């Protein structure tokens, strides 16, 4: 089969092979093996590394892994690779996709979001690409694409729209003053950051202070822990 995919993880295997964890546009998560990929004259070249966006031809064998037969680069994001901050942000993003999206079900919004984030990290005209606010905006949009967006419009327990004072991962969103048992305090600024980050394009993630961003990170993290049963690494 033919598909476009991003390399999330690339592991050395046996003498000269690579095992790839791919996130594809048409088939969701794919595990594949590229035989002989680490030989100096491999036809795959150096493309089977994390963050590469590839056009792949894959062959179904007997095992769980597909075999890579042909590869062409769609984008290698070379400037992303030259920046430590962008590399770290890209690695966290790929890790979040690995943990959150593990089915073979295609999810075009999630795939497009990942490609857009990698392009932003590769863009010298977007200096905020590797910032914490953009990393958290990516996480929120990824949670939304995966079906685990936190409830931000009204109390996740009782529906109250006023006096929202906390966030509860178990409830899956903001909670009002009467429902805040088990919640942590969420400032109005952190709440606004999350609402704006979901509403705005990834490249226009709203600025916010460190304390607000950490509250937003905790809110996203606890929502995914309770509802998707995944634990994300620290965003920065
Ligand atoms: Zn309530």
């Amino acid at each position: 089969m033919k598909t476009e995919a991003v390399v999330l993880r690339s592991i050395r295997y046996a003498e000269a092979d690579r095992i790839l964890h791919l996130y594809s546009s048409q088939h969701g998560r794919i595990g594949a093996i590229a035989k002989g990929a680490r030989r100096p004259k491999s036809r795959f070249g150096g493309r089977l590394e994390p963050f590469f966006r590839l056009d792949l031809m894959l062959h179904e064998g007997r095992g769980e892994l597909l075999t890579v037969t042909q590869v062409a680069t769609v984008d290698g994001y070379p400037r992303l690779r030259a920046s430590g901050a962008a590399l770290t942000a890209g690695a966290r993003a790929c890790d979040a996709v690995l943990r959150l999206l593990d089915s073979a079900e295609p999810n075009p919004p999630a795939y497009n979001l990942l490609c857009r984030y990698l392009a932003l990290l590769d863009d010298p005209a977007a200096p905020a690409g590797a910032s914490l606010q953009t990393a958290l905006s990516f996480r929120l949009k990824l949670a939304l694409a995966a079906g685990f967006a936190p409830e931000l419009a009204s109390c996740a327990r009782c529906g109250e729209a006023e006096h929202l004072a906390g966030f509860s991962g178990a409830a899956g969103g903001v909670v009002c003053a009467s429902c805040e048992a088990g919640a942590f305090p969420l400032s109005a600024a952190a709440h606004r950051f999350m609402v704006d980050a979901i509403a705005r394009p990834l490249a226009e993630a709203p600025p916010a202070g460190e304390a607000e961003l950490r509250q937003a990170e905790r809110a996203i993290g606890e929502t995914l822990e309770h509802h998707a049963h995944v634990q994300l690494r620290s965003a920065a």
Side-chain angles (χ1 to χ4, degrees), residues 67 145 156:
T67 302

Side-chain angles (χ1 to χ4, degrees), residues 155-160 164 174-180:
C155 176
R157 288 215 170 94
C158 75
E160 166 68 53
L164 301 169
V174 291
V175 288
C176 73
S178 348
C179 298
E180 65 182 340

